[in-house]
Amino acid sequence: MSDAELAPDDGVAIRPGASRPRRSPEDVEVARAARRLGWQTAVVVLASVVLMAAVVLVAVLRGQARDAEAKLEQVAHSIDDTRDVPPGLWVTVMSTVDGSMTSSPGLPQGLPDVGALSAVAEGRHEVRSTVATGEGPVPVVTVERDRVVVQVAVDPNEKHDELERLLTALAFAGGTGVVLAGVAGAWFGRRAVRPLADALARQRRFVADASHELRTPLTLLSTRVQLLGRHLDADVSDVPPRVRADVTGLHGDTAALAALFDDLLLAADDRRVAPEPVDVAAVAAKVVAAAAASASARGIALRTTGESAAVALAGGVSVRRALTALVDNALDHAESAVDLDVVRDGDLVRARVLDDGPGIAPGTRVFERFASHRPAADGRRHYGLGLALVAEIATQHGGRVAAGPRDDQRRGAQVTLELPALR
């Protein structure tokens, strides 16, 4: 046999001393989902066991109370000798002739109930009472029979022992059931989630491969369009305005397609981003500078406000991509102005993008893929991927994103990206 060892799970050859292959993100998600399902199943079973135990205990306590009551009645009206006492009972017999009293052995402190004995001896037929003893509260029945007064008390220790045995059995059975349910839930959860994870992995690979392969011919197409525009400017003296507009529009379409493929690549990338200190305010300034030409061409004033420095724990490329998507979305909706405001608020760095457009209608799911409701007035189709990617970036970095009306109650919309601040 060679010195290579075969891994039992995936059949990958691993040399002695070498580290095992790193698990894929899908495997990690499957393991997490299985653990969650296992814990959830265990919690449900535990709640069921606790409920069942409570019902059983109530039923047992009521049964014990009925049995004790019947036992008291039977013994009080039938016993003749304190030496012949059934287990779990204490008996006291007092003569009504001379007042002599005998009791069964082991009578705890507090018994007999002298007051109840005296009351029955003076003429009352039966007295029921509860006496506090060193063993706990004890129910007592005192009756008069043939020139004697008989008092019977129930030993609570016998009831406690029975309850302890019952609770021990329930705890063992319930604990075993919870453990088995957790293991079974994790196993079934892994089997149920695995096909979904595999399908998601195939989908991500397809999107990433297709987007990557299409970017090369798209780049060539964009280059040819630019060269065509330069040739028209250099070689053709009288270019019809419609032709020049079509060439310009074609270049814009290729740029939009390139941005779309970039979005698809980002959406297919499920790798965890190692957080690092990122000055969100500085990134915001660069984003606004890059979008200034587009904003100026549309007649929109694009500004940055807020603090000059606001450091968050995130990925620099991801933050820039998110802010770029927010600014592009605001420019598509704004009428005259877009503001990118970055501030630090406690443990958060908050970036707000405000526009003076029509706003966001209630119930609009702006962070879902392909949820764009914008009219294609600029000649381009909007796919609604930008804000969905912003939401994914926020989730990857432990932040959040929200959209709604502006805080200052002015016309327009406000989209807020929150990221954990560097402490």
Side-chain angles (χ1 to χ4, degrees):
M1 181 176 290
S2 66
D3 59 350
E5 296 182 359
L6 197 62
D9 293 335
D10 48 13
V12 179
I14 304 175
R15 295 187 178 277
S19 60
R20 294 183 63 85
R22 186 176 180 181
R23 292 193 301 172
S24 66
E26 288 76 22
D27 291 334
V28 175
E29 290 300 326
V30 168
R32 289 177 179 172
R35 286 196 297 269
R36 285 195 298 268
L37 288 173
W39 280 111
Q40 291 169 358
T41 304
V43 169
V44 171
V45 173
L46 178 60
S48 302
V49 169
V50 170
L51 179 61
M52 180 185 67
V55 173
V56 170
L57 286 177
V58 170
V60 168
L61 289 175
R62 290 182 177 179
Q64 286 181 339
R66 289 193 300 266
D67 292 344
E69 183 71 19
K71 203 172 185 181
L72 283 174
E73 288 286 345
Q74 180 184 1
V75 173
H77 290 89
S78 62
I79 195 165
D80 295 322
D81 191 348
T82 58
R83 292 172 297 180
D84 188 20
V85 179
L89 294 177
W90 294 303
V91 177
T92 298
V93 178
M94 184 183 74
S95 173
T96 58
V97 178
D98 56 7
S100 60
M101 186 183 306
T102 58
S103 299
S104 57
L107 204 67
Q109 185 179 3
L111 290 177
D113 187 354
V114 178
L117 290 172
S118 301
V120 173
E122 292 174 359
R124 294 184 61 180
H125 178 68
E126 181 178 323
V127 174
R128 294 180 177 271
S129 59
T130 301
V131 179
T133 68
E135 307 292 341
V138 175
V140 177
V141 172
T142 308
V143 299
E144 187 271 334
R145 283 178 41 221
D146 299 331
R147 298 180 182 180
V148 295
V149 178
V150 180
Q151 186 175 91
V152 184
V154 178
D155 184 0
N157 289 324
E158 184 178 5
K159 178 175 65 176
H160 294 162
D161 293 341
E162 184 180 353
L163 285 177
E164 287 181 1
R165 290 193 297 270
L166 177 62
L167 289 175
T168 301
L170 286 175
F172 177 77
T176 304
V178 168
V179 172
L180 292 178
V183 173
W187 186 73
F188 284 116
R190 180 181 290 273
R191 289 177 60 87
V193 175
R194 169 56 65 183
L196 298 178
D198 292 341
L200 179 60
R202 289 193 298 270
Q203 180 184 7
R204 288 183 183 276
R205 286 195 297 268
F206 170 76
V207 172
D209 294 344
S211 301
H212 182 268
E213 293 299 326
L214 288 173
R215 289 184 84 255
T216 300
L218 185 62
T219 302
L220 294 176
L221 177 61
S222 178
T223 303
R224 290 182 181 277
V225 172
Q226 295 181 49
L227 291 176
L228 176 61
R230 293 176 184 177
H231 291 329
L232 289 177
D233 293 337
D235 301 335
V236 182
S237 59
D238 187 14
V239 179
R242 291 182 56 185
V243 174
R244 188 175 298 279
D246 289 340
V247 172
T248 303
L250 184 59
H251 182 263
D253 290 339
T254 56
L257 282 175
L260 175 61
F261 289 141
D262 288 338
D263 290 344
L264 290 174
L265 285 172
L266 283 174
D269 187 4
D270 57 356
R271 294 173 298 176
R272 295 290 179 180
V273 180
E276 59 183 6
V278 178
D279 189 349
V280 180
V283 175
K286 294 179 181 178
V287 169
V288 168
S294 176
S296 177
R298 303 182 190 189
I300 298 174
L302 179 60
R303 302 180 294 262
T304 57
T305 60
E307 301 177 5
S308 58
V311 181
L313 276 176
V317 176
S318 298
V319 171
R320 176 156 187 162
R321 185 60 185 161
L323 294 182
T324 300
L326 293 179
V327 169
D328 288 344
N329 178 76
L331 290 175
D332 287 336
H333 291 83
E335 294 182 357
S336 61
V338 171
D339 292 331
L340 176 52
D341 179 71
V342 179
V343 296
R344 173 164 181 163
D345 185 6
D347 294 335
L348 295 174
V349 172
R350 184 174 291 113
R352 300 185 308 160
V353 179
L354 305 96
D355 63 65
D356 59 352
I360 299 176
T364 303
R365 299 177 178 178
V366 296
F367 298 111
E368 291 186 359
R369 281 182 168 81
F370 307 107
S372 177
H373 300 284
R374 273 181 280 162
D378 53 0
R380 294 187 297 122
R381 181 178 179 182
H382 299 281
Y383 294 92
L385 290 174
L387 293 184
L389 290 172
V390 174
E392 289 191 358
I393 291 173
T395 302
Q396 287 179 350
H397 294 85
R400 62 183 295 269
V401 65
R406 296 174 54 143
D407 291 340
D408 56 11
Q409 305 303 319
R410 296 173 62 184
R411 183 177 184 271
Q414 171 180 308
V415 183
T416 304
L417 172 65
E418 294 180 350
L419 297 171
L422 177 65
R423 296 185 179 181

